[in-house]
Amino acid sequence: TRTEANALAEEWSTLIVAQWLLEKARRKYEDERQPAVIQSASGWFTQMTDGRYTKIVPQAEGNSEFAVLDRRERTKTPAQLSRGTQDQLYLALRFGLIHNHGERLPVIVDEALVNCDPDRAEVAASAFAELARTNQVLVMTCQPWMRDLFVKISKDVDVVELSTKA
């Protein structure tokens, strides 16, 4: 009947509003209570993806898994991301750990951008240059294009060519 339909519609409306409020509260809690490493990594990830992804979020209480939010606030697990975006995510998480470690230890990577397409490699190289403002960064590569990219990104890059002669 019409009265029954109205009662159900009112109940549904109440539940939708409650769901929206709970989601808003959950996001606020995540924003305010997220560990510093994840907050820092989220910033790096947003930078590396040129704003396509805005945040790294925990999946569930007590779960070590996490997800990411895109600019439309849709949640995606790492498995739902492209291989290149997964690499950016894991690099951002490492940068978050490095940034929040406390001590400024040297960062040493070998062929860190070898799986990146040219656009992602340039953004990641810029992130390494930014990290180099607070940490000593050593990037090893046998790829001339990667060496040239780091030289292009930062005027502070020192290139050390290793001899191939035995």
Side-chain angles (χ1 to χ4, degrees), residues 11 17 25 30 33 39 61 84-85 88 98 101 116 121 134 159 162:
E11 183 180 346
V17 170
E30 286 173 356
R33 300 292 183 180
Q39 287 180 356
E61 195 70 33
T85 306
Q88 289 173 314
I98 291 164
H101 184 268
C116 294
T134 57
V159 175
L162 300 179

Side-chain angles (χ1 to χ4, degrees), residues 41-56:
S42 288
W44 288 108
F45 189 54
T46 299
Q47 176 184 339
M48 288 182 197
T49 62
D50 198 26
R52 287 187 316 274
Y53 294 93
T54 59
K55 194 180 298 181
I56 301 171

Side-chain angles (χ1 to χ4, degrees), residues 2-162:
R2 192 170 193 81
T3 307
E4 229 176 77
N6 285 342
L8 289 173
E10 186 176 326
E11 183 180 346
W12 178 81
S13 313
T14 303
L15 291 173
I16 289 297
V17 170
Q19 180 184 17
W20 179 79
L21 288 170
L22 284 172
E23 180 63 21
K24 189 172 179 178
R26 183 184 65 82
R27 293 240 169 127
K28 181 176 169 60
Y29 175 81
E30 286 173 356
D31 287 346
E32 293 174 358
R33 300 292 183 180
Q34 231 176 30
V37 169
I38 299 298
Q39 287 180 356
S40 179
S42 288
W44 288 108
F45 189 54
T46 299
Q47 176 184 339
M48 288 182 197
T49 62
D50 198 26
R52 287 187 316 274
Y53 294 93
T54 59
K55 194 180 298 181
I56 301 171
V57 295
Q59 282 291 79
E61 195 70 33
N63 187 346
S64 63
E65 296 293 316
F66 54 88
V68 297
L69 293 179
D70 67 14
R71 61 173 62 127
R72 294 186 199 161
E73 295 201 358
R74 293 178 299 195
T75 302
K76 293 186 179 183
T77 64
Q80 294 172 310
L81 302 173
S82 70
R83 174 73 177 143
T85 306
Q86 286 175 4
D87 287 348
Q88 289 173 314
L89 173 60
Y90 296 126
L91 188 58
L93 287 166
R94 288 183 186 107
F95 278 25
L97 284 168
I98 291 164
H99 184 76
N100 288 280
H101 184 268
E103 294 182 45
R104 298 294 174 209
L105 300 173
V107 176
I108 304 170
V109 296
D110 185 19
E111 301 298 353
L113 310 180
V114 76
N115 293 325
C116 294
D117 62 47
D119 292 335
R120 283 188 172 107
E122 189 163 339
V123 172
S126 294
F128 273 107
E130 187 174 329
L131 184 65
R133 292 182 191 145
T134 57
N135 294 73
Q136 179 182 24
V137 177
L138 303 171
V139 179
M140 295 181 281
T141 184
C142 64
Q143 308 290 330
W145 69 266
M146 196 181 304
R147 176 204 57 222
D148 296 343
L149 177 62
F150 277 95
V151 169
K152 173 186 157 192
I153 293 296
S154 175
K155 64 181 180 283
D156 296 325
V157 169
D158 290 327
V159 175
V160 177
E161 297 281 342
L162 300 179

